[in-house]
Amino acid sequence: MGTPTDPRAGRHRHRVLVGVLSILGLLAALLVGGTGARADTPKEETTLTVAVSQEVDSLSPFLAVRRITTALGRLTYDFLTNYDPKTGKTIPALAESWKTSPDGLTWTYKIRETNWTDGKPVTAEDARWTFDTMMKDEAAATANGNFVENFESVAAPDPRTLVVKLKAPQATMLALDVPILPKHKWESVGDYSKFNNDQEFPIVGNGPWIISAYEVNSSITLVPNKKFWRGAPKFDKLVFRHIDDQDAQVEALKAGEVSFVSGLTSAQATSLESVDNITVNKASGKRFQAITINPGAKLQDGTEFGDGNKALEDPVVREALVHTIDREAIYKTAYGGFGEANGGYIPSRYKDYHWEPTDAERIGFDIAKANQLLDGAGYAKGSDGIRAKGGQKLSFRFNVHNDTPQYVQAAEMMREWAKEAGMELKVEPVSEVGALLDAGTYDILTTGWSVNPDPDYILGINRCSGLPAKIGGPYLSDAYYCNAEYDKLYAQQLAELDTTKRAEIVKEMQKVLYKDNIFVVWGYADALEAFRGDVIEKMTPQPDPGGNYDSQDGYWSWWSALPAGTKSAADSGGTSGNSGLILGVGAGVLVALGGALLLVRRRGGAAADERE
């Protein structure tokens, strides 16, 4: 064994050091080479422009419930967990790990070391404050209060540890779809019911994108968070441009004024398939299309308001109306065959929780049955062919989103079918239904909701607690639905940690909804989207492969989108952050080798000390 004074030992250490440094140099060259490939990204500013038709409800995550604004929440704030783009299963996000107590009542999350976009560190206290504020402030609980109703307490014993104690086990603790907010920017807000977070830009967040500008009903501009822990987006700008007419969106895509459109009709998708530089994407839908029937708008205390047609409070009338709906024909005609007729609330894409009625349970298209039900209930046809009872005519306003041609066409089809049963549907296209819902001044509305892999949120909006507490106050559902049996089942599924048993309860809840005929699902349209290939080289669908780009559970598409002309596909960010993985592995090797080098140097130092 050589001694510190043995010249052979010195030569050996020198060879080791040279070898390690060579490997480090090689790895550094590889990593720099990867960065060099990024340099192939076009030098001109790159902008990904997404056409949208929905108006912004609020840029406050405490209030935002619409598709456009909840998507913005995903892009600009990190959640504790995210959904894997391939499988939809839970993966780490702001929480890099977690554990629960044997009784399931205490959850401990380890918060990742990252910064807000203003440079201040993200801590467990930010998460604690976000949840605690939702627990104590009714307005802050408007959008996502269902996630914290069962929370007993939230604590942040140190900057990296978040501890949540529950009143009862909760199945959604790894699917808390709540944006974590920067306490230092939000704690001074006085009234969360009035704060829309739309006056000061850029908005401080910690997601992959930063909202840098917002023009009402015109555009929302985002820039990359260059220090996002999973890797910065590759486009220089992401713009959501408001174009409320679907045909105008398609023309804007053809003209290169926007890069991406969604919600295409089958005819639009077909026409775009032959256009140069445009790629059409078709995927199974994660949204359902439906109508809501006003059963009598009520506050949580039972106070009635609005002017809904009283006849719709009769379950027989509602069932008869549903018997006049031909779901198959709607998807064949209005959606061009791109969709699935179904009455279940959870789309079939989510197999674990999807339910559909048996033949015995099905309230199918049967106009003779509708007439039979109405005759039996005493609704007689007048000289105009419209039924009435006690002076109450079965003549209903049918408000339809005019920015969705499929809804308009389906509504016209429903109008003809209902007429055969002695019911009049007066189709009235509208740009927004919010004001009608606020005041309860509607009879029937078209609607549609995106569904997350975990069904808790979409189920939760239909509880009695989702009704407004006061006229004009916040509410969750658009159906004024309240059923004690449904609420009881909701509580059971939330507390059930066995996935199979929980799924059975969730299916029973859908059965209750289906029988009540207030929230009437037509089915699930395929996602028909198109993008310019001369702007976007590639991006990650969900599920991957074969999924959609718009309205994902996560930020994968816009985060991973690679500008056209970028040579290295490996730099796209990857479906699962592959480049990040490569960098992570590389960094890990560097750290390991650096550690080895340090160890060699320390041993050498120790030997030198021994010489002393």
Side-chain angles (χ1 to χ4, degrees):
M1 182 176 179
T3 68
T5 55
D6 185 343
R8 292 172 297 177
R11 287 197 294 272
H12 175 69
R13 286 197 299 274
H14 177 74
R15 286 196 295 270
V16 170
L17 285 169
V18 169
V20 169
L21 288 171
S22 298
I23 294 172
L24 284 170
L26 177 60
L27 276 171
L30 287 171
L31 293 176
V32 170
T35 305
R38 289 168 189 258
D40 291 332
T41 301
K43 295 180 180 178
E44 295 182 1
E45 183 176 88
T46 55
T47 301
L48 196 167
T49 305
V50 180
V52 295
S53 60
Q54 198 172 46
E55 297 175 5
V56 168
D57 51 351
S58 176
L59 294 182
S60 165
F62 284 150
L63 303 177
V65 297
R66 293 185 179 172
R67 182 166 56 137
I68 177 66
T69 44
T70 53
L72 287 170
R74 268 290 183 187
L75 294 171
T76 53
Y77 301 98
D78 220 359
F79 296 10
L80 288 182
T81 58
N82 207 331
Y83 298 102
D84 187 284
K86 291 182 181 295
T87 66
K89 303 297 183 184
T90 295
I91 58 174
L94 181 59
E96 59 185 14
S97 62
W98 49 79
K99 61 182 179 181
T100 184
S101 60
D103 61 5
L105 294 178
T106 302
W107 286 77
T108 304
Y109 302 87
K110 183 179 180 183
I111 301 301
R112 189 179 304 278
E113 288 194 39
T114 58
N115 286 337
W116 297 106
T117 50
D118 62 0
K120 296 186 181 297
V122 179
T123 69
E125 175 60 18
D126 292 304
R128 187 209 64 78
W129 178 87
T130 300
F131 290 126
D132 191 64
T133 302
M134 292 166 58
M135 292 167 62
K136 295 175 179 175
D137 190 303
E138 182 182 3
T142 299
N144 299 303
N146 58 305
F147 290 115
V148 300
E149 288 179 359
N150 184 43
F151 282 19
E152 180 70 40
S153 64
V154 188
D158 64 62
R160 303 267 72 83
T161 305
L162 176 73
V163 180
V164 179
K165 292 187 180 296
L166 303 171
K167 301 171 186 173
Q170 180 167 322
T172 60
M173 293 306 290
L174 296 182
L176 297 172
D177 294 329
V178 177
I180 302 302
L181 302 177
K183 176 185 175 182
H184 65 282
K185 297 294 294 185
W186 283 74
E187 64 179 342
S188 61
V189 173
D191 186 348
Y192 291 110
S193 70
K194 298 178 180 177
F195 180 66
N196 288 308
N197 197 30
D198 56 1
Q199 298 300 312
E200 183 181 342
F201 297 94
I203 293 176
V204 175
N206 62 339
W209 291 94
I210 304 167
I211 298 178
S212 62
Y214 167 51
E215 296 181 48
V216 178
N217 292 339
S218 177
S219 65
I220 310 159
T221 302
L222 300 93
V223 295
N225 176 2
K226 298 291 187 182
K227 296 183 178 179
F228 184 56
W229 66 270
R230 204 185 287 273
K234 310 304 182 295
F235 273 88
D236 297 314
K237 282 186 181 177
L238 172 62
V239 177
F240 292 93
R241 181 179 165 189
H242 185 87
I243 304 175
D244 58 10
D245 182 81
Q246 187 70 47
D247 288 332
Q249 289 188 8
V250 170
E251 291 305 313
L253 181 73
K254 290 179 179 176
E257 296 168 359
V258 301
S259 324
F260 182 93
V261 297
S262 61
L264 297 171
T265 66
S266 59
Q268 290 168 335
T270 301
S271 70
L272 287 172
E273 285 179 331
S274 59
V275 178
D276 289 342
N277 292 320
I278 289 180
T279 299
V280 175
N281 184 54
K282 301 173 184 175
S284 62
K286 69 185 294 285
R287 288 177 63 80
F288 61 73
Q289 295 76 46
I291 58 170
T292 61
I293 298 174
N294 187 348
K298 295 183 178 67
L299 302 179
Q300 290 184 18
D301 64 5
T303 302
E304 297 182 1
F305 66 99
D307 64 358
N309 190 315
K310 294 289 185 182
L312 292 174
E313 296 180 19
D314 186 343
V316 175
V317 174
R318 297 201 301 270
E319 181 179 347
L321 179 63
V322 176
H323 273 300
T324 69
I325 301 173
D326 188 343
R327 293 178 170 90
E328 296 284 349
I330 286 174
Y331 284 97
K332 180 179 180 181
T333 303
Y335 290 89
F338 292 102
E340 173 189 354
N342 206 302
Y345 199 62
I346 308 297
S348 55
R349 167 172 170 160
Y350 304 113
K351 299 185 186 307
D352 290 345
Y353 298 108
H354 173 65
W355 169 88
E356 58 184 81
T358 64
D359 289 342
E361 296 165 336
R362 196 177 312 281
I363 306 172
F365 179 57
D366 188 341
I367 290 178
K369 179 69 174 180
N371 278 306
Q372 179 187 348
L373 287 170
L374 294 173
D375 287 340
Y379 292 92
K381 285 186 178 179
S383 58
D384 57 0
I386 302 173
R387 293 178 181 271
K389 178 181 174 183
Q392 187 72 55
K393 295 183 73 171
L394 302 190
S395 176
F396 309 117
R397 297 161 293 182
F398 189 1
N399 297 114
V400 184
H401 292 76
N402 63 8
D403 62 350
T404 309
Q406 300 95 326
Y407 278 166
V408 176
Q409 187 171 8
E412 292 293 344
M413 295 166 71
M414 286 178 55
R415 181 172 63 85
E416 293 302 315
W417 296 325
K419 186 177 180 181
E420 295 181 44
M423 291 181 281
E424 181 183 41
L425 301 186
K426 295 181 286 190
V427 177
E428 301 173 6
V430 293
S431 59
E432 280 289 327
V433 299
L436 300 173
L437 285 164
D438 290 347
T441 51
Y442 73 98
D443 296 323
I444 305 170
L445 294 174
T446 52
T447 189
W449 288 75
S450 292
V451 179
N452 296 335
D454 189 283
D456 182 77
Y457 180 83
I458 198 67
L459 296 172
I461 65 173
N462 290 314
R463 289 175 297 155
C464 298
S465 58
L467 297 175
K470 59 182 179 181
I471 296 176
Y475 53 89
L476 290 179
S477 177
D478 49 13
Y480 290 103
Y481 183 76
C482 179
N483 183 320
E485 179 188 6
Y486 180 89
D487 279 14
K488 183 178 179 181
L489 289 167
Y490 174 84
Q492 290 177 3
Q493 66 82 29
L494 185 61
E496 181 54 69
L497 302 183
D498 183 291
T499 302
T500 301
K501 292 179 180 177
R502 184 186 180 213
E504 289 305 311
I505 301 170
V506 168
K507 292 174 182 177
E508 190 65 26
M509 294 176 72
Q510 295 175 76
K511 185 176 178 179
V512 172
L513 281 176
Y514 184 83
K515 291 171 62 179
D516 281 342
N517 292 312
I518 292 174
F519 212 104
V520 183
V521 173
W522 298 340
Y524 329 114
D526 291 343
L528 299 180
E529 313 164 318
F531 63 92
R532 293 201 64 92
D534 55 356
V535 176
I536 305 169
E537 186 79 27
K538 61 177 292 186
M539 51 186 169
T540 300
Q542 188 184 48
D544 184 10
N548 52 289
Y549 298 111
D550 183 51
S551 297
Q552 295 185 342
D553 302 306
Y555 40 66
W556 310 111
S557 53
W558 311 138
W559 168 72
S560 67
L562 190 68
T566 304
K567 293 180 180 178
S568 174
D571 279 343
S572 67
T575 300
S576 303
N578 292 337
S579 66
L581 179 61
I582 292 169
L583 287 169
V585 170
V589 173
L590 282 171
V591 168
L593 287 175
L597 176 60
L598 185 61
L599 184 61
V600 169
R601 294 183 66 184
R602 281 178 175 169
R603 284 174 178 167
D609 290 342
E610 288 170 2
R611 282 200 301 274
E612 293 295 330

